Amino acid sequence: MTTGTSGIALTPAQRFAWLRLSRCETIGPKTFRQLINRFGSAEAALEALPHFARRGAAPLRIASIAEIEAELEAAVRLGAAFVALGEPDYPALLREIDSPPPIIAMRGARAVLSRPAVAIVGSRNASAAGLVFTERAAREIGRAGYVIVSGFARGIDARAHLASLETGTIAVIAGGLDKIYPPEHAELLERVVMQGAVISEMPFGWEPRGRDFPRRNRLVSGLAQAMIVVEAAHRSGSLITAKFAADQGRDVFAVPGSPLDPRAEGTNALLRDGAKFCLAPQDVIDALDDRSAGLPYPSDLFETAAADMASDPLWDEGNLFDEATDPLRAAPRIEEAVSDDGGDLALAPPRAPSEPAPSELELSALARAKVVGLLGPSPISVDDLVRAAEATARDVQTVLLELELAGRLERHGGGLVSLL
Amino acid sequence: MTTGTSGIALTPAQRFAWLRLSRCETIGPKTFRQLINRFGSAEAALEALPHFARRGAAPLRIASIAEIEAELEAAVRLGAAFVALGEPDYPALLREIDSPPPIIAMRGARAVLSRPAVAIVGSRNASAAGLVFTERAAREIGRAGYVIVSGFARGIDARAHLASLETGTIAVIAGGLDKIYPPEHAELLERVVMQGAVISEMPFGWEPRGRDFPRRNRLVSGLAQAMIVVEAAHRSGSLITAKFAADQGRDVFAVPGSPLDPRAEGTNALLRDGAKFCLAPQDVIDALDDRSAGLPYPSDLFETAAADMASDPLWDEGNLFDEATDPLRAAPRIEEAVSDDGGDLALAPPRAPSEPAPSELELSALARAKVVGLLGPSPISVDDLVRAAEATARDVQTVLLELELAGRLERHGGGLVSLL
C-alpha cells in the first residue's frame, strides 16, 4: 500500500501515447483502464480506436498529435511534469482509488507526492473560528509529518495550504495546471509550487467547469489517509469529498459547530452519520497512529449527508459512487499488471497480443443490433443482457465498450447499465 | 410507567411520620426505602430506630417533632405542599429512578407534575447562541405538549424556564423551597410558581451546599423523558445530569458547538460518546414520538465524559452511579407495594407485622462484632461477607443497616460495601 517507489517510468513515446489516449473526450479513467487491459498498451488502443469506435454510432474524437505536442510544450514552459499511473512518483494511495487518473500533471516537489497525507477541506465563506481551527490543524498535523492536501479554494482550503507551506502541501486543482482558479490565488499557487506541489488530471488550457470540482474532490480524498471537514454547508462540495473519502476507506473527521451556523450543517450531519470527531488536531494524529491496526472505514456511512447527491452525475463517466461490482473489474487491473509485466509497458497482459485489434470486432451486425436493441433507459444487469441477447459475454462487453466510447452508455452500481 | 393517578394519599399523621423519617440526617432515599420495607410504615420505623441505631456505634439524630411542625408551618406560609412517593401527584417517571425522594415539597400547579416532560440544562455563563437555541427549544418543545424541566440556575436553565412559562415548566432547586438560589432569581421563581411548579427534596430552611446540586440533578433528569444539554464545560454539573439521565434510561441529547468554545467541550464529548444530536428542537420531539417503540438508553454511554466524576461521592448516600445489583433490592420495592397494600400504608408488607421491631435486633454481640470486624475500607461483596461471617444473610443485613444509619457504611456498585 505504501510502496511509493514501485513501478517503472514510461518512455517519452509511451508517455505521449498515454497522454493522447487520456485526452480523448469520452475516455475517462475507467474507460482508459479497460482499453489498456484490452489492447495491451496505449499505442495499440489508439490504433484500434477508430475501427472500434465507429460502431458506437457517435463520433469519437481522438486528440490530435498537434494538440498533445502543444500540451507538452505548455508543460515545459511552466516547469510542469506528467506522472503516469504505475510510475514510481505516482501517489501510492491515489493508485488504489476507484478511478485513478491515468496521468497527472504536476508542478513543484515530486517528493511530497509520496509522503503520508491528510486532507483538510471546508467552506469558501469560512468563519473566523473555522479559519483559526484550520490553521491550527494544518500546522500541528503538518509538524507531525503529514503533507496537507486541499482543493485550493477560497476560505478553509487556502488557509490549510498557507499554514502547511513549511511542512508540505499539495493543491489539487479542477482545471488545467495553467488555469488558476480563483484568480486571486495566483501568488498562493506559486508559493505552493515552491514549497509543495500543485496537481491536476485535466489538460493544460482546461477552464474548470462546475462538474470538474466534484470530480477533482475524489483526488483530494484519494491522496490522503484521513480527511477533516472543518466547515461545510448543506449539499456542499466538502460533503462530496467526504463521501469519496468514506468510499475510499479513508478516515473522515468533521469539526462540530453550532446548529445556528449554516456552515456547521454539513459537518454536524456528517458527525451524526458516523464521522469521527475532530475536536483537536491531535485526534487525527492519534487515529492515524492507530490506523496500522485499523479496519477499513465502512462505506455505508454518510447516507443522509450525501444521499441526494449520489443521483447527480458528477462527470462524464457517470456514477462514481458505486462500481464495486463492475463486471469488467474481473479483467486484470492496471496497477496489478504494472509490477508483473512492466518491461514493455503492456500494463495488463493483452488478451491476444498477436491478434490484430480490428479482428476482434467482427461481430455480426445482427448480434450488435440485438444487444443495442435490448438496452434502454432502465438499468439492467450485464448478466441479464448476455442471457437475453443469447450472445457470449465477450461479445456483449465489446458492444458495451463501443457504446461507452460513443458516450451512449451509463454504468450504474451493481453491474447495471443503461442507454443514455 | 405513566399511571399518573395511581396510589393513595397519606393521612396527616402518616405524612408527618414520613417527613420526620426522611429528615433524619443519615436517612437518604435508599435507607428510607429499606426502613419502610423492613418495618412496614414510617411510624414503626421511627419507633424502632432508637434501639436499632444504638448498635451502629455513632449517634443517629432523629428530627424532633418540633422541627417537623416548624417545617409544616413554613410550608403553609409559602403555600407549599408535600407529595409523598406513592401518592397520586408524585411524578410517575420520578418514581422509577434509582433513589426517588420519599417526599418532595412543591409550590405551584400540581398538574404539571403529571405531564410528560423534557429537561433542558446547560452552562451558567451561556453564550448568546446557546441562549437563543435554548429559547427556541423550550418554546417549540413546550408547544408540542411537554413540560420543560430545569435546574433554575443562571444562564441556560433560567432561559429554559422563562421560555416555557406559558406552556408549563418545573424548576427543581437544590436547597429548601424557601431558600432561593441564585438570589436574583426571586422574581423568576414567583413566575414559575404562578405558571408551573418549583420542587425540592430538601427541608425548608436548607441552604444549598455544593454537593446538593449534583444530588438535585438526578431529579431534573428523573422527571423528564428526554434531556437536552445545550452548553456544558468539561466536568460541569450538566454532564452529571446527563450521566443520571443515561443511567435512568432517558434519551440524552446534546447540542454541538465549536471546539474553540469551552462551553461546547462537554456537549461535544457527550456526542462523541453516543448522545443524540439536537440540531433542532424537532429532533427531540421526533425521538419522543418514536419512543413508544423505543429501546432503553444504553447506560454504558458517557464513560469518557463522566468517568472521573463517578469516583467523587456526590452526597451522603455515596455511589449513585451504580447500585443496580444492590442485594437489598430483592426486597419488595416501595412503589410495587403501594398498589398491592396501600390501605394501611404499609408500603411493603412488613416481614413480620406482629413482631416487635426491637426483637429482630437480638443478634449476639459476638455475631455483630464479627461482621464489623470483617469489614474494612476495601469494598467486599455482601455475599462474601455472609460466607466469611458464617452468619445468616438476614443478620448480616441487620448489621449493615445499623452501620448505614450510623453513617459508617458505604455502598458501592455491584453489591459491594465498605466501612467508612
Side-chain angles (χ1 to χ4, degrees):
Chain A
M1 158 161 173
T2 49
T3 52
T5 55
S6 71
I8 46 109
L10 299 181
T11 66
Q14 287 168 331
R15 192 183 309 277
F16 192 98
W18 270 57
L19 198 57
R20 192 176 173 208
L21 185 63
S22 74
R23 294 315 189 215
C24 292
E25 217 169 307
T26 53
I27 298 180
K30 287 195 284 188
T31 311
F32 187 96
R33 182 180 61 202
Q34 285 170 22
L35 290 170
I36 294 284
N37 286 343
R38 181 148 199 154
F39 297 106
S41 71
E43 291 94 326
L46 283 166
E47 201 174 313
L49 269 181
H51 313 281
F52 202 79
R54 195 183 305 140
R55 312 289 188 168
L60 170 72
R61 211 189 71 74
I62 298 178
S64 71
I65 288 174
E67 286 173 275
I68 301 306
E69 281 172 347
E71 184 168 1
L72 287 170
E73 279 163 28
V76 168
R77 275 196 303 275
L78 267 179
F82 292 97
V83 182
L85 183 61
E87 289 195 304
D89 289 333
Y90 195 93
L93 275 179
L94 192 60
R95 197 161 56 194
E96 294 175 2
I97 72 170
D98 197 40
S99 298
I103 197 155
I104 54 179
M106 68 152 297
R107 292 181 65 201
R110 280 174 180 257
V112 296
L113 297 185
S114 51
R115 283 175 50 199
V118 169
I120 301 180
V121 301
S123 301
R124 287 187 296 277
N125 68 334
S127 73
L131 291 171
V132 166
F133 192 91
T134 300
E135 178 155 347
R136 190 179 295 175
R139 214 175 282 283
E140 288 188 29
I141 296 169
R143 283 182 189 147
Y146 296 93
V147 170
I148 303 299
V149 183
S150 195
F152 203 64
R154 298 182 180 99
I156 301 293
D157 288 20
R159 186 60 63 98
H161 290 303
L162 258 176
S164 57
L165 282 173
E166 287 172 26
T167 51
T169 196
I170 301 175
V172 189
I173 64 174
L177 221 50
D178 53 348
K179 295 293 173 185
I180 301 166
Y181 184 85
E184 69 267 30
H185 279 184
E187 191 200 326
L188 175 62
L189 189 105
E190 294 309 318
R191 294 183 68 184
V192 171
V193 167
M194 290 296 290
Q195 303 186 263
V198 179
I199 71 172
S200 172
E201 66 173 322
M202 304 309 281
F204 277 74
W206 185 271
E207 292 282 358
R209 303 152 304 168
R211 66 181 187 176
D212 295 325
F213 292 93
R215 170 180 178 159
R216 178 273 318 270
N217 291 356
R218 85 190 197 287
L219 306 185
V220 172
S221 57
L223 283 161
Q225 296 181 11
M227 74 168 291
I228 308 171
V229 186
V230 179
E231 289 185 327
H234 183 55
R235 286 186 68 85
S236 61
S238 300
L239 293 187
I240 294 176
T241 316
K243 173 74 176 139
F244 281 128
D247 288 348
Q248 290 164 353
R250 311 306 192 231
D251 275 328
V252 179
F253 289 83
V255 180
S258 166
L260 298 179
D261 186 347
R263 288 168 293 214
E265 263 184 45
T267 52
N268 285 339
L270 284 173
L271 290 166
R272 190 179 47 193
D273 292 354
K276 296 182 177 179
F277 278 74
C278 180
L279 302 178
Q282 195 63 38
D283 292 343
V284 178
I285 297 166
D286 290 346
L288 290 174
D289 287 348
D290 296 344
R291 181 75 167 155
S292 39
L295 303 164
Y297 207 70
S299 66
D300 57 347
L301 287 173
F302 313 134
E303 293 193 354
T304 310
D308 38 14
M309 292 182 204
S311 58
D312 299 344
L314 293 177
W315 50 304
D316 51 6
E317 286 205 317
N319 190 356
L320 273 174
F321 285 117
D322 180 9
E323 60 134 22
T325 49
D326 183 338
L328 292 182
R329 288 193 82 146
R333 296 175 60 189
I334 288 185
E335 52 269 47
E336 291 162 1
V338 169
S339 22
D340 296 344
D341 187 21
D344 64 352
L345 254 151
L347 284 190
R351 303 280 170 106
S354 60
E355 186 186 358
S359 76
E360 71 175 13
L361 305 172
E362 299 301 335
L363 279 176
S364 78
L366 194 65
R368 180 169 286 110
K370 195 169 186 181
V371 172
V372 174
L374 286 164
L375 282 164
S378 300
I380 62 159
S381 83
V382 176
D383 288 348
D384 287 343
L385 189 61
V386 168
R387 268 191 292 278
E390 295 172 327
T392 65
R394 179 164 178 77
D395 285 352
V396 170
Q397 294 290 9
T398 297
V399 177
L400 293 178
L401 187 52
E402 289 168 3
L403 292 169
E404 197 172 3
L405 287 167
R408 291 181 57 205
L409 190 79
E410 182 170 3
R411 291 189 183 272
H412 308 268
L416 301 177
V417 292
S418 68
L419 215 54
L420 284 171
Chain B
M1 158 164 175
T2 48
T3 52
T5 55
S6 71
I8 46 109
L10 300 180
T11 65
Q14 287 169 330
R15 191 184 310 275
F16 193 97
W18 270 56
L19 198 56
R20 192 176 172 207
L21 185 63
S22 72
R23 293 316 188 213
C24 293
E25 217 170 306
T26 53
I27 298 180
K30 287 194 283 188
T31 311
F32 187 97
R33 182 181 59 200
Q34 285 169 23
L35 290 169
I36 294 285
N37 287 342
R38 183 149 197 153
F39 298 106
S41 71
E43 291 95 327
L46 283 166
E47 200 173 317
L49 269 182
H51 314 281
F52 201 80
R54 194 183 307 141
R55 313 288 190 170
L60 170 72
R61 213 190 71 74
I62 299 177
S64 71
I65 288 175
E67 287 173 274
I68 302 305
E69 281 173 347
E71 184 168 0
L72 286 170
E73 278 164 29
V76 168
R77 277 197 301 276
L78 268 179
F82 292 98
V83 181
L85 183 61
E87 288 194 306
D89 288 334
Y90 195 94
L93 277 179
L94 192 60
R95 197 162 52 195
E96 294 175 2
I97 73 169
D98 197 39
S99 298
I103 197 156
I104 55 180
M106 68 152 299
R107 291 181 64 200
R110 281 174 180 256
V112 297
L113 297 185
S114 52
R115 283 175 49 199
V118 169
I120 300 180
V121 301
S123 302
R124 287 187 295 276
N125 67 333
S127 72
L131 291 172
V132 167
F133 193 91
T134 300
E135 178 155 345
R136 189 179 297 175
R139 215 174 280 284
E140 288 187 29
I141 296 169
R143 283 184 189 144
Y146 296 92
V147 171
I148 303 299
V149 183
S150 195
F152 202 64
R154 298 183 180 99
I156 300 293
D157 288 20
R159 185 62 60 99
H161 290 304
L162 258 175
S164 58
L165 283 172
E166 287 172 27
T167 51
T169 196
I170 300 174
V172 189
I173 64 175
L177 220 50
D178 53 349
K179 294 294 173 184
I180 301 167
Y181 185 85
E184 69 267 32
H185 280 184
E187 192 201 326
L188 175 62
L189 189 104
E190 295 309 318
R191 294 183 68 184
V192 171
V193 168
M194 290 296 290
Q195 303 185 262
V198 178
I199 70 172
S200 171
E201 66 173 323
M202 304 308 280
F204 276 75
W206 185 272
E207 292 282 357
R209 302 153 306 168
R211 67 181 188 178
D212 295 324
F213 293 92
R215 171 181 178 159
R216 179 272 320 268
N217 291 355
R218 84 190 197 287
L219 306 184
V220 172
S221 57
L223 282 161
Q225 296 182 10
M227 74 168 290
I228 308 171
V229 186
V230 179
E231 290 185 327
H234 182 55
R235 286 186 67 83
S236 61
S238 300
L239 293 188
I240 294 175
T241 316
K243 174 73 176 140
F244 281 127
D247 287 349
Q248 290 165 352
R250 310 307 191 230
D251 275 329
V252 178
F253 288 84
V255 180
S258 165
L260 299 180
D261 186 347
R263 288 169 292 215
E265 263 184 46
T267 53
N268 286 338
L270 285 173
L271 291 166
R272 190 178 49 193
D273 291 354
K276 296 182 178 178
F277 277 75
C278 180
L279 302 178
Q282 195 63 38
D283 291 342
V284 179
I285 298 166
D286 290 345
L288 289 174
D289 287 348
D290 296 345
R291 182 75 167 155
S292 41
L295 304 163
Y297 208 71
S299 66
D300 57 347
L301 287 173
F302 314 134
E303 293 192 357
T304 310
D308 38 14
M309 290 182 206
S311 58
D312 300 343
L314 293 178
W315 51 303
D316 51 5
E317 286 205 318
N319 190 354
L320 273 174
F321 285 117
D322 181 9
E323 61 133 22
T325 49
D326 183 337
L328 292 181
R329 287 193 81 148
R333 296 174 61 190
I334 287 184
E335 53 268 46
E336 293 162 357
V338 168
S339 20
D340 295 344
D341 187 21
D344 65 351
L345 255 150
L347 285 190
R351 301 282 167 108
S354 59
E355 187 188 357
S359 77
E360 70 176 14
L361 305 172
E362 300 300 333
L363 280 175
S364 77
L366 193 68
R368 179 169 286 111
K370 195 168 185 180
V371 171
V372 174
L374 286 164
L375 282 164
S378 300
I380 62 159
S381 84
V382 175
D383 287 348
D384 287 344
L385 189 62
V386 168
R387 267 190 293 277
E390 294 172 327
T392 65
R394 179 163 178 78
D395 285 352
V396 170
Q397 294 290 9
T398 298
V399 177
L400 293 178
L401 187 51
E402 290 168 3
L403 291 169
E404 197 172 3
L405 287 167
R408 292 182 58 204
L409 190 79
E410 182 171 2
R411 291 191 182 271
H412 309 268
L416 301 177
V417 291
S418 68
L419 214 54
L420 283 171

